[in-house]
Amino acid sequence: MVKELVKKSLVKSAGEKYQKELKSKTLSFDEWIREKESSLERFDMTIDLASAELSDKNASNMSFTAKFGSTTISIIPYSKVNSDFKITNYIEDILVFVNGEVTDKAFPLLAKKFNDSPEVNIVYGDEDIADVDLKKEGKYGKSIEGSRREPFFKPDWSPNTFLDHFYFCNIVAIRRSAFREYNIATGLEGALAIYDSLLRYVFANETNLEKSVAHIDEILVHATDYENNYIKDERALEYASKMHVFEKSDAKISVLIPSKDNPDLLNIVLGSLKTNTEPNLIHEIIVIDNGSNESNQEKIKELSKQYDFKYIYKSMPFNFSKMVNLGAKEATGNIFLLLNDDLTFANNNAIAKMTDVTLLNFSGLVGIKLLYPDSDLIQHAGVINNRIGPVHKLQFQRDIENHYFGFNKSTVNVSAVTAACVMIRKEVFEKVKGLNEDLAVAFNDIDLSFKVMEEGFMNVVCNDVYAIHAESVTRGKDTDEKSIIRLNSEKDKLYAYHPAFKGYDPLYSKYLINDCLDVRICPASEYEYERAAEDVKSISRIKDGVSGFREEPCVQLSLEYVGEMNKFSYKEKDEGYYWLQGFSYVQGSDNACYKKYILLNCGNETYKIKIKGAVRSDVSEFAKDQVNVGLSGFAVKIPKGLLKPGEYKVGFLFVNKFAREKLYNFSNKYLVVK
C-alpha cells in the first residue's frame, strides 16, 4: 500500500514536471511573430485626427492619407466602398483597401513592392487577428500591445484560388494610375465590389494575369475576422472565359487507367465513370496492363466489350510512368484524365468541374480531393513541398471540418497533386514530355507537377468535389526496407531534376510549418527544427545491446529524416553533422514516466543517445487518448566524428523511471555514416 502511494506521488510529480517543461518550450504565436518581424522597418502611423475623415471615432472606419518617402498612400476602409465610390476622386500613388487595422510594417513593404516592381499593380498581404482597441483615437497603425493570434498566411499569386473565392480577404492595394480609367463595380459594396473589380481587371488580358499581382509574405493588417475570405462572385468564371483554350463542347477526354490483376476494381472505376460523368465528355478509355495473369486478362477483355475501352497489354515490371506514357501515345483526345484503378467518383459533377478548370490556359495539372474508403478522412487535398519533401497536407483529417480557412472545401492552387486522379491538357502533357520513366513508382506525379510549374502553368486541386481512393492497392505500401531505400532514392532523383524546389514551395507560406511531416496547415510557431534541435555531445555504447530490453510495438516511432544535416537544412555550416528527426511515444502509458533514448544499431554494437524531447503539438492533437505526448518529438544534431563508418539502424528506447521496464522498437530506416 505504501509503495503504491509513493509510486502514485512520483508519477504525479513526474507529470507536473513534464507539463512545466512542455509549457516552457511552447512558444505562443504572439511571441514568435513579433520575433520574426523584429528586423522589419516600422512606420509610425499615428494620425492627426483633425486631418482625418471623422465620420466616426472608430479608426478602422477612417479614410486618411500618409506618405512614405516619395510615395503617397491612401487608406480606404472596405466600408467606404459603395455604389458612389470613384477611384478618380483620389490622387495618391497607392490606394490600400482594408478591413481592420493596417500594421506598422505595412507602408514600407507596400511602397517598396510598388516602387521596385513597376509591372505590379495589385498587391495583397498576410494578416492576423489581434486584440486592438480600434476605438482609441489616434491609435491606427501603432504597434499593438495586446495578443495576436489566428494568422492567415497566404500563397503567392494563385489565379485559380482567386477565381474560387476572395482569398485576398482583408487587405489589397492597387496602383492608382493603372486604374485611372477603371472603376469599382457599381451596384456592389464593400469586399464584393473590390473583388468583382479586381477579377475583371486581372482576367482582362494575359499581361494583367501573369504580371500585375504580387504577394507580400508579411502581416499587413490586424483583422477582426476572415469572413471576406469566403466571398464568391458568380461572375468570376464569366470574367475568365476569354482564358479558355477551347470551348467545353470541344473537350475530348482520354481516360488513362494503369491496371494489373484487378478486374473487379477496374469494373468499379469504369462503372463510376459511366454514372458520374456528363454525357459526351469522355472521348475514350484506355487501360494499360503491365502483366495480368491469363485468367484476369480474359476478365479485362470482357470488361473492354462492356465499357468499350482500348486494352493495351505489355508484360513488364511495374512502372507507373511508362504505363501512362504508353496510354498517352495511343490517346486521341485533347485532355488526358489519369486514373488509378482503385478509385471511385462520389460527385456527379467531379469530372465536369475538373474539365472547367483544365480549359483555362494557365491551368496545368488539375487534381481532386480524395477520401479514404468508408470514412470522411482526407487522403489527398493537395501536396506541398517542404523541407522534408512532398507532404499530403490535411491527410487523415476529417473532411467534415473546415481546415485552414476552407482549404479543404475550395478549388485552390498547389505546387503538386497526386496522379491517382488528375487531368491535364494533351498539349501541356506533351510540352513537359510526359511522365519521367526514371521515377517508376514514387514521386513521378510530383516530378510532373514541378515540370508543369516550371513551364509557367498553375497546378490546381478541386477540393469542392471528391472521389474515394483505396490508396496503393495496385502496388502495395512502402513499408519494407527495400521499398524505403527505393523511395529515398527516387526522392533524391526528384530534387536532382528540380533543385529549385528543395525545401521551397511558392504556394505555401514561409511562416507555415515547414520542417516536419505535420500534416496540419498551421503557423511555424508550432515547430521549427532549429528551435527543437538538441546538440549531441556524446554517444554511449550499450554493452549487451538490447538483450535486457523488451521489444514492444506499443513504442510508436516515426522517423521523418535521417541523414546528413546540410541536406536537410541546405546550409553549408551543417556539413559536419548528421540529423535525426521524428517523434516517438509509448502507447497506452504515461510518457512522463520514461527517460528517452535514440538507439543506433550497427552489426553487434548498439548505442544510445539520451534526449530531452521536442514539442510536437501535432502528436498531441492526433493522439488525444495518450498521456503526456506533447514532448514526443526529437531533433538531434550529431557531429560526424562521434560514430565510426557503417549503417546504423535507428530505433527508440524508453526506460521507466519508477520500474525496471525498458521498452524499445526499431524503425526500418538507417543512418549511413561514411
Side-chain angles (χ1 to χ4, degrees):
M1 177 67 76
V2 175
K3 286 184 178 181
E4 286 297 315
L5 289 174
V6 171
K7 185 176 180 180
K8 283 184 179 180
S9 177
L10 291 171
V11 170
K12 181 180 178 183
S13 177
E16 291 171 349
K17 185 178 179 181
Y18 186 97
Q19 288 299 318
K20 186 176 180 180
E21 183 180 359
L22 175 62
K23 185 176 180 181
S24 70
K25 289 184 175 181
T26 301
L27 192 65
S28 71
F29 169 74
D30 183 82
E31 297 173 278
W32 176 80
I33 194 61
R34 290 176 188 273
E35 180 184 325
K36 294 291 183 183
E37 294 175 340
S38 60
S39 62
L40 297 177
E41 185 177 2
R42 288 185 63 249
F43 179 70
D44 189 349
M45 293 190 298
T46 303
I47 60 175
D48 178 4
L49 292 180
S51 65
E53 179 189 327
L54 297 179
S55 56
D56 56 48
K57 296 291 186 178
N58 189 331
S60 65
N61 287 329
M62 289 191 291
S63 297
F64 65 93
T65 62
K67 189 173 183 180
F68 184 81
S70 60
T71 304
T72 54
I73 304 173
S74 181
I75 301 292
I76 306 167
Y78 282 9
S79 59
K80 298 297 181 184
V81 179
N82 53 41
S83 57
D84 297 325
F85 181 85
K86 287 185 172 60
I87 289 177
T88 51
N89 289 341
Y90 293 83
I91 60 172
E92 288 74 32
D93 300 317
I94 301 170
L95 306 185
V96 183
F97 297 99
V98 64
N99 181 47
E101 181 182 8
V102 178
T103 71
D104 57 353
K105 317 292 190 306
F107 279 12
L109 291 168
L110 286 167
K112 180 174 175 55
K113 177 63 72 174
F114 279 107
N115 291 336
D116 291 352
S117 308
E119 75 282 2
V120 169
N121 294 319
I122 300 170
V123 177
Y124 64 98
D126 299 338
E127 47 196 284
D128 64 11
I129 290 176
D131 295 326
V132 183
D133 183 6
L134 293 178
K135 293 183 179 180
K136 186 175 179 181
E137 296 180 6
K139 175 86 169 56
Y140 206 93
K142 293 188 95 175
S143 183
I144 65 165
E145 298 177 1
S147 64
R148 296 166 62 181
R149 62 187 187 278
E150 299 176 51
F152 184 8
F153 294 120
K154 303 165 190 175
D156 283 352
W157 171 227
S158 303
N160 297 97
T161 308
F162 194 60
L163 278 174
D164 186 82
H165 60 280
F166 186 44
Y167 79 91
F168 293 178
C169 198
N170 289 311
I171 187 163
V172 59
I174 64 172
R175 191 189 302 272
R176 181 193 54 81
S177 60
F179 286 77
R180 190 178 289 112
E181 305 299 327
Y182 191 83
N183 208 1
I184 298 298
T186 57
L188 300 175
E189 296 186 348
L192 179 57
I194 297 166
Y195 180 33
D196 188 89
S197 299
L198 294 176
L199 281 168
R200 288 188 283 118
Y201 179 87
V202 167
F203 295 103
N205 55 64
E206 296 287 344
T207 301
N208 288 358
L209 172 66
E210 295 175 5
K211 298 181 178 180
S212 68
V213 186
H215 170 225
I216 293 176
D217 55 354
E218 301 290 349
I219 291 174
L220 303 187
V221 64
H222 302 309
T224 55
D225 60 56
Y226 297 127
E227 290 304 311
N228 288 325
N229 174 64
Y230 300 99
I231 290 176
K232 294 180 179 288
D233 191 328
E234 60 185 14
R235 290 174 286 192
L237 292 180
E238 176 187 332
Y239 296 149
S241 61
K242 63 184 68 177
M243 302 297 173
H244 284 171
V245 179
F246 45 81
E247 294 304 314
K248 191 173 183 180
S249 58
D250 295 324
K252 296 179 179 179
I253 299 174
S254 294
V255 183
L256 310 178
I257 309 176
S259 184
K260 174 191 172 185
D261 285 326
N262 280 323
D264 292 338
L265 285 175
L266 190 59
N267 184 36
I268 294 172
V269 70
L270 292 169
S272 173
L273 272 174
K274 187 175 182 179
T275 57
N276 289 299
T277 308
E278 282 187 7
N280 304 319
L281 262 183
I282 301 298
H283 172 65
E284 63 185 348
I285 299 173
I286 301 173
V287 174
I288 310 98
D289 185 342
N290 68 313
S292 291
N293 61 44
E294 289 185 9
S295 174
N296 284 327
Q297 282 186 59
E298 290 304 314
K299 291 178 181 178
I300 295 172
K301 287 176 181 177
E302 287 299 315
L303 288 174
S304 71
K305 297 174 184 177
Q306 179 182 347
Y307 291 105
D308 188 26
F309 63 78
K310 184 172 185 178
Y311 182 36
I312 300 175
Y313 180 87
K314 184 174 182 178
S315 182
M316 62 181 179
F318 180 83
N319 185 320
F320 180 83
S321 298
K322 191 170 185 177
M323 294 168 75
V324 170
N325 289 343
L326 280 173
K329 287 178 182 177
E330 298 293 325
T332 59
N334 50 21
I335 293 176
F336 296 161
L337 173 61
L338 282 55
L339 284 184
N340 278 16
D341 62 4
D342 54 355
L343 184 139
T344 54
F345 288 98
N347 301 85
N348 289 334
N349 65 330
I351 294 177
K353 173 62 189 286
M354 294 174 74
T355 305
D356 288 335
V357 177
T358 303
L359 291 176
L360 294 165
N361 60 10
F362 51 86
S363 294
L365 288 169
V366 179
I368 188 175
K369 180 168 62 184
L370 302 177
L371 303 182
Y372 285 105
D374 304 316
S375 75
D376 75 331
L377 296 180
I378 297 170
Q379 187 261 313
H380 169 263
V383 180
I384 71 98
N385 183 57
N386 74 6
R387 191 180 299 279
I388 300 292
V391 177
H392 281 233
K393 280 294 177 179
L394 303 183
Q395 189 173 22
F396 303 116
Q397 298 274 25
R398 294 197 65 194
D399 189 45
I400 196 173
E401 298 171 3
N402 183 345
H403 300 286
Y404 205 69
F405 312 109
F407 186 92
N408 61 311
K409 305 291 185 183
S410 308
T411 292
V412 293
N413 288 113
V414 288
S415 286
V417 290
T418 179
C421 177
V422 69
M423 193 175 282
I424 183 172
R425 295 193 306 280
K426 180 180 181 179
E427 47 136 341
V428 180
F429 187 86
E430 292 180 342
K431 188 170 187 176
V432 299
K433 299 179 181 178
L435 284 158
N436 187 341
E437 295 181 14
D438 195 32
L439 297 170
V441 181
F443 302 118
N444 38 53
D445 47 4
I446 309 301
D447 173 79
L448 181 62
S449 297
F450 289 172
K451 288 194 296 184
V452 166
M453 283 193 71
E454 287 164 349
E455 288 293 339
F457 299 98
M458 302 297 297
N459 297 319
V460 194
V461 59
C462 301
N463 285 332
D464 45 352
V465 290
Y466 70 95
I468 307 299
H469 184 213
E471 186 182 18
S472 300
V473 167
T474 303
R475 64 175 176 87
K477 292 186 177 295
D478 298 313
T479 55
D480 61 276
E481 183 182 332
K482 185 177 179 181
S483 295
I484 293 295
I485 293 172
R486 188 259 308 149
L487 193 67
N488 289 334
S489 172
E490 292 194 339
K491 186 166 74 171
D492 289 341
K493 288 180 183 178
L494 172 71
Y495 291 115
Y497 289 125
H498 309 283
F501 280 92
K502 281 186 177 180
Y504 173 67
D505 189 328
L507 300 176
Y508 187 77
S509 171
K510 65 182 182 181
Y511 284 148
L512 290 172
I513 200 161
N514 190 48
D515 294 344
C516 65
L517 291 182
D518 187 343
V519 299
R520 300 172 304 166
I521 304 176
C522 57
S525 54
E526 299 283 337
Y527 183 87
E528 289 176 306
Y529 82 94
E530 290 179 302
R531 191 155 42 92
E534 293 186 51
D535 289 313
V536 176
K537 304 297 184 183
S538 62
I539 297 176
S540 304
R541 181 175 177 270
I542 304 174
K543 185 178 180 182
D544 299 319
V546 294
S547 59
F549 309 157
R550 190 167 83 242
E551 187 173 13
E552 280 288 346
C554 67
V555 175
Q556 301 293 304
L557 174 59
S558 174
L559 275 161
E560 297 170 332
Y561 184 85
V562 178
E564 294 177 285
M565 188 171 184
N566 61 305
K567 293 181 179 179
F568 172 87
S569 67
Y570 311 119
K571 296 179 180 178
E572 289 185 11
K573 68 175 184 177
D574 294 323
E575 284 183 358
Y577 299 91
Y578 293 107
W579 180 255
L580 274 67
Q581 177 180 291
F583 62 85
S584 185
Y585 62 90
V586 181
Q587 193 171 27
S589 296
D590 186 342
N591 284 261
C593 297
Y594 293 93
K595 296 177 183 177
K596 300 179 288 187
Y597 302 85
I598 290 173
L599 292 178
L600 297 173
N601 175 258
C602 183
N604 295 322
E605 295 186 338
T606 304
Y607 300 85
K608 65 179 182 180
I609 303 171
K610 188 175 182 180
I611 65 164
K612 295 177 181 178
V615 177
R616 288 297 294 260
S617 55
D618 58 324
V619 179
S620 297
E621 182 173 316
F622 290 129
K624 292 178 181 177
D625 57 337
Q626 302 301 309
V627 182
N628 287 323
V629 294
L631 289 170
S632 60
F634 57 86
V636 297
K637 185 178 179 181
I638 306 172
K640 287 187 174 180
L642 285 183
L643 290 167
K644 60 185 180 182
E647 294 184 359
Y648 293 80
K649 194 171 188 178
V650 183
F652 215 87
L653 168 67
F654 288 87
V655 178
N656 198 310
K657 300 174 184 177
F658 314 118
R660 297 180 179 179
E661 183 181 56
K662 296 179 180 179
L663 311 175
Y664 79 95
N665 202 357
F666 275 102
S667 71
N668 53 6
K669 295 186 179 181
Y670 288 79
L671 173 63
V672 179
V673 177
K674 301 175 182 178

